[in-house]
Each structure stands twice: as C-alpha cells, then as structure tokens.
C-alpha cells in the first residue's frame, strides 16, 4: 500500500505534531530541565507516535476493505496488516 498524504492525512498531522513535541523534549534536555518534566513530555511523544501508527493501520484496513468491496485485489492481506498492527502493540 502506498503511503500518500491524502491516504494518511490525519496520521501525518499527528506525526508532525509529535515531531514538534520531540524537538521540545530535546530542548528541555539541552536546557537542563527536570527529569520528571522531560519524561512526561517524552511519554506524550511516544503516545503520539503510537496513535499515528495505529491510525495508519486503521486506514490500511479501510483502504483494503474498500478495494475488496469494489471487487479488486487489496494491496495488502489481512495477515500483513495484522502483523503491522502487532508490531506496534
């Protein structure tokens, strides 16, 4: 399945947000912020990345189902999508 901005738009937005959050975490460390504050923000980045990944898998499921409904061969099998999902879990 090709990754295009149109296909995974919401996930791309989440990834851009996480990118900014990660830059903030790096700045916090460089500025000598407290450990608890850094780890709290790092956990938020981690959750944002996880959610983006799950969003991409969900988009893939919908994309493949729509292909099946049109009578087309889906770009990925259910087993391939399940494997990707489990890689994120």
């Amino acid at each position: 399945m090709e990754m295009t901005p149109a296909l995974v738009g919401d996930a791309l937005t989440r990834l851009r947000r996480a990118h900014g959050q990660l830059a903030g975490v790096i700045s916090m460390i460089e500025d000598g912020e407290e450990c608890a504050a850094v780890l709290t923000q790092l956990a938020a980045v981690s959750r944002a990345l996880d959610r983006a990944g799950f969003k991409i898998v969900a988009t893939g499921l919908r994309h493949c189902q729509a292909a099946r409904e049109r009578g087309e061969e889906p770009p990925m099998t259910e087993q391939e999508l399940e494997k990707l999902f489990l890689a994120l879990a």
Side-chain angles (χ1 to χ4, degrees):
M1 182 174 74
E2 273 187 43
M3 300 290 296
T4 64
L7 185 62
V8 294
D10 187 47
L12 188 57
T13 300
R14 290 172 187 262
L15 289 170
R16 286 188 177 118
R17 189 176 308 128
H19 183 266
Q21 287 176 307
L22 183 56
V25 170
I26 292 168
S27 292
M28 290 174 76
I29 293 170
E30 291 173 343
D31 295 342
E33 295 281 337
E34 289 293 321
C35 179
V38 170
L39 291 176
T40 297
Q41 290 305 309
L42 191 57
V45 172
S46 179
R47 283 190 306 276
L49 291 173
D50 288 343
R51 288 181 179 150
F54 290 128
K55 184 71 174 172
I56 290 170
V57 171
T59 299
L61 287 169
R62 284 192 303 277
H63 184 70
C64 290
Q65 182 61 33
R68 278 188 212 89
E69 289 172 0
R70 292 189 304 269
E72 300 170 4
E73 184 69 28
M76 297 181 78
T77 67
E78 289 178 9
Q79 292 79 17
E80 289 171 320
L81 285 165
E82 180 181 357
K83 184 177 178 180
L84 293 173
F85 174 81
L86 292 173
L88 293 170

